[in-house]
């Protein structure tokens, strides 16, 4: 259940182009201040702070107060839980298609 | 932009354990009625219908009226867009780590 909630939070955090953009930017350049993230996104500081809070709660971003500014960088979370669910879902679908193919092959083999 | 919105919808649709459970169930058994999906999830028909609408709008589930019941099955969407974003994000992180390692190696090589 706890695991489920964590995946939920990660997926919900990713379900927004601004937030995915922040992750991509931090991934490329390492760290940025809130205003450095807000400006290219055409967003107010308050708006960006809300997005950062969602990302921080999901563990995808870490923030640290340095002097008078807040530096943001990628958090400890690396999307492993989302990838794990995607992998198990795809595997399940593949197994099902394999079984269907096998069944189809058997049925075709049965006909004269 | 259109592509972005589609990924948003897919991710938001996946950000719920009931909805992921529906996908897993339909993946395993092919198709199910709304009540067959609602019962094991301990959910009302109305509640399940809301979840199904979100999944249907994201293209993850298709529903079809058969007589007096509605049959649900997996939709045309196969999470390719989410996987594509995850892959490009991971690649970007890997490239960054490679650059950092290279930089570190060069700096260490410079020292006597």
């Amino acid at each position: 259940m706890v695991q489920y909630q964590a995946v939920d939070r990660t997926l919900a955090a990713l379900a927004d182009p601004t937030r995915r953009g922040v992750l991509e930017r931090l991934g490329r350049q390492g760290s940025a201040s809130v205003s450095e993230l807000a400006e290219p996104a055409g967003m107010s500081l308050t708006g960006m702070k809300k997005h950062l809070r969602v990302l921080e709660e999901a563990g995808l971003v870490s923030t640290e107060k340095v002097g008078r500014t807040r530096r943001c960088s990628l958090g400890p979370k690396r999307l492993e839980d989302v990838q794990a669910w995607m992998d198990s879902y795809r595997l399940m679908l593949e197994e099902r298609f394999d079984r269907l193919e096998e069944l189809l092959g058997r049925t075709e083999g049965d006909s004269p």
Side-chain angles (χ1 to χ4, degrees), chain A:
Chain A
M1 199 59 188
V2 172
Q3 225 180 351
Y4 257 147
Q5 289 171 345
V7 185
D8 293 351
R9 245 203 306 266
T10 313
L11 285 163
L14 294 178
D16 182 284
T18 304
R19 293 198 288 265
R20 290 198 301 281
V22 166
L23 293 181
E24 287 163 8
R25 177 123 196 240
L26 294 178
R28 264 196 309 272
Q29 68 182 55
S31 75
S33 68
V34 179
S35 56
E36 281 166 356
L37 293 169
E39 208 194 12
M43 195 160 266
S44 69
L45 285 181
T46 316
M48 182 48 77
K49 276 179 190 163
K50 277 185 198 164
H51 283 304
L52 287 169
R53 205 172 309 132
V54 177
L55 288 166
E56 207 171 357
E57 278 168 7
L60 295 168
V61 160
S62 295
T63 72
E64 189 194 7
K65 203 140 173 90
V66 180
R68 293 176 63 179
T69 60
R70 186 165 282 281
R71 294 302 293 179
C72 309
S73 53
L74 289 182
K77 207 47 165 327
R78 284 290 182 272
L79 310 182
E80 305 88 347
D81 51 359
V82 173
Q83 192 58 59
W85 183 80
M86 302 262 295
D87 290 346
S88 77
Y89 181 66
R90 184 162 49 194
L91 190 69
M92 189 261 293
L93 288 184
E94 280 168 7
E95 281 170 357
R96 190 178 134 74
F97 286 125
D98 286 350
R99 278 201 309 276
L100 283 176
E101 268 187 2
E102 204 187 311
L103 200 68
L104 201 69
R106 215 184 295 153
T107 313
E108 277 174 354
D110 285 348
S111 63

